[in-house]
Amino acid sequence: MKAATKILLVVVGLLFLIDIGWRVWVWHHYAAGREVLKNFKVEYLHTNDWSGIGIFDAKSDQPIWTKFDIGHDSNSIMESYYFRGKDTFDVTVTSNRPPKYGVFFRGSGKSVTWWLDDVGSGLFTDRISYNTNGNFYKREIWYKEAWHLVDRRNETNGIVINGKWFQLGRDTNGWTIETQANQ
């Protein structure tokens, strides 16, 4: 019985030493990872029925990256990338559809221009500009290899080409002209 106890104590002692050695090795091996974790924090997010996760700067609390599940039925995911705490690039992926993109160019004050690929055509089809106060300034669409200012008439979006107003429509490739009006 004494021999069995001694063997058991030796085995437990060896396991204890192996465990300590393993913990010391892991501590030194992942030192860089611990340093990174001092600068960033991960948070679970929930807003407007969207659930997500975000990476934030630990010191300033500003976002760096977020990912949201944005639809119960649509299976859509939106990833956003930030620069100095402000949204600069969004990608939205929905099952069985091409990804949609948004790029945000910031100017002075609250001015910003959004470049959007709302239909997932692989081209930026919309530019929306806001002035230094953050108020809507203008909207342009990409049609026939050129940017056109959107001219809203009778609560309908259109563009003017060669002095004629055309009502806008959408398809999977971007903007189309639906009808011509004599306005």
Side-chain angles (χ1 to χ4, degrees):
M1 183 91 159
K2 289 186 179 188
T5 305
K6 286 182 182 181
I7 292 173
L8 182 62
L9 285 174
V10 168
V11 168
V12 169
L14 287 174
L15 288 174
F16 183 71
L17 289 174
I18 290 170
D19 181 61
I20 290 174
W22 177 256
R23 290 175 190 258
V24 168
W25 180 84
V26 167
W27 178 259
H28 289 290
H29 184 72
Y30 292 107
R34 283 193 319 278
E35 193 62 34
V36 167
L37 293 176
K38 290 179 184 176
N39 297 315
F40 303 101
K41 64 181 180 176
V42 176
E43 292 184 10
Y44 292 103
L45 308 168
H46 185 78
T47 181
N48 298 335
D49 294 328
W50 293 11
S51 295
I53 190 166
I55 299 174
F56 296 82
D57 182 286
K59 293 176 186 165
S60 68
D61 229 15
Q62 292 182 336
I64 297 168
W65 172 85
T66 59
K67 182 177 181 180
F68 280 97
D69 176 4
I70 60 173
H72 299 291
D73 300 327
S74 66
N75 296 322
S76 295
I77 302 289
M78 184 172 90
E79 286 190 34
S80 299
Y81 300 84
Y82 299 82
F83 179 70
R84 295 184 180 162
K86 296 190 178 184
D87 193 3
T88 56
F89 183 70
D90 292 342
V91 179
T92 304
V93 179
T94 303
S95 57
N96 300 323
R97 292 186 187 165
K100 298 177 182 182
Y101 304 96
V103 179
F104 309 98
F105 298 96
R106 302 198 181 273
S108 60
K110 294 181 181 180
S111 67
V112 63
T113 300
W114 301 359
W115 284 39
L116 306 171
D117 174 12
D118 280 340
V119 294
S121 66
L123 298 171
F124 291 107
T125 57
D126 295 70
R127 287 194 306 200
I128 302 171
S129 298
Y130 295 87
N131 66 17
T132 55
N133 294 322
N135 298 321
F136 175 78
Y137 173 63
K138 67 180 176 179
R139 181 176 181 191
E140 300 169 291
I141 58 109
W142 183 254
Y143 178 74
K144 298 283 185 185
E145 306 297 318
W147 289 106
H148 298 274
L149 188 63
V150 173
D151 185 8
R152 190 159 175 82
R153 298 181 184 180
N154 299 324
E155 298 184 23
T156 304
N157 289 332
I159 58 174
V160 177
I161 300 175
N162 296 329
K164 295 183 181 178
W165 186 87
F166 294 88
Q167 183 177 337
L168 292 172
R170 286 265 194 170
D171 66 16
T172 57
N173 295 317
W175 290 104
T176 62
I177 291 181
E178 289 185 351
T179 60
Q180 177 181 349
N182 295 325
Q183 296 185 15

